[in-house]
Amino acid sequence: VVSPDVLPDRRVTFRLLAPKAAEVTLTGEFLPASADSSGPPSLIRMTKGADGLWTTTVGPVEPETYHYHFTVDGVRTLDPGNPDLKTGSTPATIMNVLVVPGDQPAFYDGRAVPHGEIRTHWYESTSLGTLRRMTVYVPPGYDRSPATRYPVLYLLHGANADETAWTRFGRVNLILDNLLADKRAVPFVVVMPFGYGVPPMGTGVQAQNTAKFSEDLRQDVLPFVEGRYRVHADRDHRAIAGLSMGGGQALSIGLNHLELFSHVAGFSAALGSANDFSKPYASLIANAAASNRTLRLLWVGCGTSDSLFGASKNFSTFLNEHRITHVFRATDGAHTWMVWRRYLNELAPMLFR
Amino acid sequence: VVSPDVLPDRRVTFRLLAPKAAEVTLTGEFLPASADSSGPPSLIRMTKGADGLWTTTVGPVEPETYHYHFTVDGVRTLDPGNPDLKTGSTPATIMNVLVVPGDQPAFYDGRAVPHGEIRTHWYESTSLGTLRRMTVYVPPGYDRSPATRYPVLYLLHGANADETAWTRFGRVNLILDNLLADKRAVPFVVVMPFGYGVPPMGTGVQAQNTAKFSEDLRQDVLPFVEGRYRVHADRDHRAIAGLSMGGGQALSIGLNHLELFSHVAGFSAALGSANDFSKPYASLIANAAASNRTLRLLWVGCGTSDSLFGASKNFSTFLNEHRITHVFRATDGAHTWMVWRRYLNELAPMLFR
């Protein structure tokens, strides 16, 4: 059973052999987003053939890398024809991957250009008392340039993910390799820590989680990186960005620690339930002119189909009210890796210029 | 729905909510292996409750890390309660992970000891004309010991896997970190290349695949590693080992290139369909005394419940007939990562002594 089957006109056929099933549906990021992306995603009911083979054809679909899954009689089921998986720390975050290739390599595809490396470290977090991992990208030529020091982007993952998400699904290394080959960015190191400071998020623990993670980041991750890598250990050469939960963390930690970071970005940020940002961002707005002189870049972006769009928009309004200079990007898209890869590709050329 | 649920006495309850299903079975490595592991694995039929919740309880189960999956009305289904997955390049190689903890950390668990790093490289294979990846483990302190050169173990994955398998499922870094902390091994670098030279294996392409992969290994991987890492670039300091398909490759490439490798090991090796080893290993047996002087270690191991056991046993018999000194280990176990982690833990202390 071939599934997914990408046809020459970029329509895609999905197939599942399930003779005993009464209903099979397909859910995928290539389907039109529902009006409210916090609600159930769009579904397509698949059609059963006489042989027990369920099929549906969608598209033509724009060239992209999408996530999808089946539901068989109410049981969430991965496509058994497709071993390419997007993993996560909860069942709802595990999906199949559909790649619809374009005529040219995408900005996140591997090309015949110089390549950086990805390094995985295990370290003892003294602030949290546990063994943790971090992922580090070093740009092409890092080991052959012993006299060069680099700036650092701290790049945070979202909820139900980990320190491997940005390399596995975000393609951070290939995006940066390509930008560097095209001379569209300056070389920098990317550090991707594990963003949970307390056991996985429930209602109301985001603030506590961010506080604990902030300790690990500032007291363990930064010293580890600055002791092991040839990086500039000053605020002018540190950026912090993240997506969703990590977007909220990047804005909260970055904007409350301008002594540590000069570039701050939130992608589809989870900004918490507070409508009033003046208390959590009190130090930022206390002296807007001083903050604006110190901040080299503040970037906030969200897809307009994302249920978190309102939060980013409110945050931008809050920043405007307090005359904090920033970039606000309202783009197409929902709460997906498609959006976050594009944001990284847009942000990276603006860093450390 | 909590699944899997490891009880205090190490029995394990599995649960799946599937009200419309007529049959749900559980397949797992903790079940008794069927007599012939090439046949269908042992199954347990789960029991349906009035609420549509299917359950079964197994064990007590020995502390280990196991793989399992469900089958719902004939459709292979992952446990939707368990996001911990063992991935692979075919649907049949994707399983859920069950961890049954023991009273002490396992030899492959992370401990509070110095940790090495894992590095991922993208490189252009000139012999194959494609962009490929390799994974490299460097032992603790590698970057802080600029005067030290290390030996290298080339460690190969099995069929339907890739260059990430040994770190993700084989825990090579944690096993070696622990052995080093316990002073049971000497430090060495481990290089884990991608083992396919031709598109995924079908019947009859193993020999061709090994030939193409051998080109990539000798003409691209070795020079890349020896140009980038502080390693000894001589046969005394090179070992090659692998599991299953990679075990066959390690034996074939290693024993036909004693000018490159001094230590050679096959774990549950896929040795091809040939019953006559004299042709593919002609150079090894041509002068047994010379081969024995040159080979510092030849290690062949297989689980007795593995359908490939006979091949390893025949190979050992062949080596004995030709008076080639080697270690033959017939152990408990089938064709599983449990066996391969133990083999690595047994082999590593024997390398480069």
Side-chain angles (χ1 to χ4, degrees), chain B residues 20-41:
Chain B
K20 295 175 186 168
E23 183 182 67
V24 177
T25 60
L26 164 69
T27 306
E29 294 174 349
F30 41 81
L31 300 176
S34 50
D36 173 3
S37 71
S38 64

Side-chain angles (χ1 to χ4, degrees), chain A residues 80 83 89 91 118 120 122 168 173, chain B residues 80 83 89 91 118 120 122 168 173:
Chain A
S89 69
I118 292 168
T120 305
W122 275 249
R168 290 169 70 188
N173 57 312
Chain B
S89 70
I118 293 168
T120 305
W122 276 250
R168 289 170 69 189
N173 57 311

